[in-house]
Amino acid sequence: MNSIQQNLQEIQSSIPSYVTLVAVSKTHPAVAVMEAYDAGQRVFGENKVQELCAKYDALPKDIEWHMIGHLQSNKVRYILPFVSLIHGADSVKLLSVIDKEAGKIGRTVDCLLQIHIAMEETKFGFSADEIMELMGNQSFVNFRNIRIRGLMGMASFTENREQVRSEFRGLKSLFENIKSNGVFGPEFNILSMGMSGDYGIAIEEGSNMVRVGSSIFGVRNYN
Ligand SMILES: *Cc1c(COP(=O)(O)O)cnc(C)c1O
């Protein structure tokens, strides 16, 4: 067993079985994905459309590919034929494009609403207030080719564990709130929160899907 396979096994054995582990393979070559695949991993996450498409083409077709990064409207159509979950649905405009393009190819596409929970400023993600307002306006009811499966969020990049915990707790509470509202039906059941540095806390706070990259594949080299 090599180190990727060892890391995977350690993580899998430390998380409950109801938690889906998304192995985030961005920047790592297809051979690294294959090592994880050979150890039984089937769910992988990427954050760039081009890299996602290239890996989809090159790798076994029983892999479930998750798009975890920001998705530009004009690139939606490249991944729609095969993507199994879009984590970063962060605007109504993007959702309408996904809905329209999915209709064209006769697919129903699973999406998570990305919620901005961290202290850092970012243009990506809905605020909790925005989501409640959009639900009040019935903004999501006309999508025919999208299934809103749950929420995704990223905690602040900080050493302050209590800060991280309280952000995850807030997201879990929003998730329960929306779920009990019922508009999205029983399929609204995925809470994607937790990465290498904080997936333990995320699971304690109610996550059922974690996106783990560097703890499996090692540090990333961006160049
Ligand atoms: C890169 C990335 C991850 C994985 O990060 P690690 O810290 O390497 O585990 C998780 N989620 C998103 C949205 C990412 O972009």
Side-chain angles (χ1 to χ4, degrees):
M1 212 169 31
N2 64 33
S3 69
I4 289 177
Q5 295 173 335
Q6 224 152 14
N7 293 340
L8 252 180
Q9 197 174 66
E10 272 167 36
I11 294 168
Q12 280 291 13
S13 66
S14 77
I15 67 178
S17 57
Y18 65 82
V19 175
T20 302
L21 174 63
V22 180
V24 176
S25 48
K26 65 190 187 194
T27 77
H28 296 285
V31 291
V33 176
M34 273 318 289
E35 288 171 4
Y37 181 94
D38 289 337
Q41 181 68 26
R42 290 294 179 274
V43 184
F44 292 89
E46 288 285 335
N47 71 338
K48 295 247 158 44
V49 166
Q50 201 177 3
E51 191 174 348
L52 177 52
C53 291
K55 283 182 179 147
Y56 168 75
D57 284 339
L59 289 160
K61 293 299 172 278
D62 62 340
I63 289 178
E64 251 186 59
W65 290 104
H66 290 198
M67 175 63 188
I68 63 167
H70 174 64
L71 181 56
Q72 288 171 278
S73 296
N74 62 349
K75 294 191 175 157
V76 165
R77 64 179 193 280
Y78 300 116
I79 63 168
L80 272 203
F82 67 87
V83 74
S84 59
L85 184 63
I86 295 174
H87 289 236
D90 59 3
S91 72
V92 174
K93 183 191 161 222
L94 176 60
L95 284 164
S96 7
V97 173
I98 297 171
D99 186 53
K100 188 170 131 223
E101 294 293 331
K104 283 189 197 162
I105 60 169
R107 265 200 89 193
T108 303
V109 176
D110 285 352
C111 295
L112 303 179
L113 301 173
Q114 183 174 352
I115 309 294
H116 179 232
I117 56 171
M119 296 183 292
E120 293 99 15
E121 286 292 323
T122 164
K123 359 188 239 295
F124 306 129
F126 297 98
S127 71
D129 289 346
E130 250 179 304
I131 284 291
M132 295 320 279
E133 189 182 325
L134 288 167
M135 295 207 330
N137 296 341
Q138 314 261 300
S139 301
F140 300 113
V141 299
N142 287 323
F143 297 132
R144 292 281 167 269
N145 311 297
I146 288 180
R147 251 189 320 247
I148 306 281
R149 297 294 313 276
L151 303 181
M152 182 275 243
M154 266 181 284
S156 296
F157 187 70
T158 171
E159 294 296 311
N160 184 342
R161 314 298 280 171
E162 283 317 304
Q163 173 72 28
V164 169
R165 184 179 293 283
S166 96
E167 291 169 359
F168 285 147
R169 191 167 290 177
L171 187 59
K172 164 74 168 171
S173 140
L174 180 67
F175 174 75
E176 290 302 334
N177 214 330
I178 297 175
K179 200 175 145 105
S180 65
N181 173 299
V183 269
F184 299 127
E187 285 164 331
F188 186 89
N189 59 11
I190 300 176
L191 182 54
S192 167
M193 58 182 198
M195 317 187 357
S196 291
D198 56 19
Y199 68 86
I201 303 178
I203 292 169
E204 284 168 14
E205 295 303 331
S207 168
N208 60 18
M209 185 174 279
V210 294
R211 309 174 310 271
V212 179
S214 36
S215 290
I216 298 171
F217 295 104
V219 291
R220 285 180 289 273
N221 254 321
Y222 291 99
N223 36 85

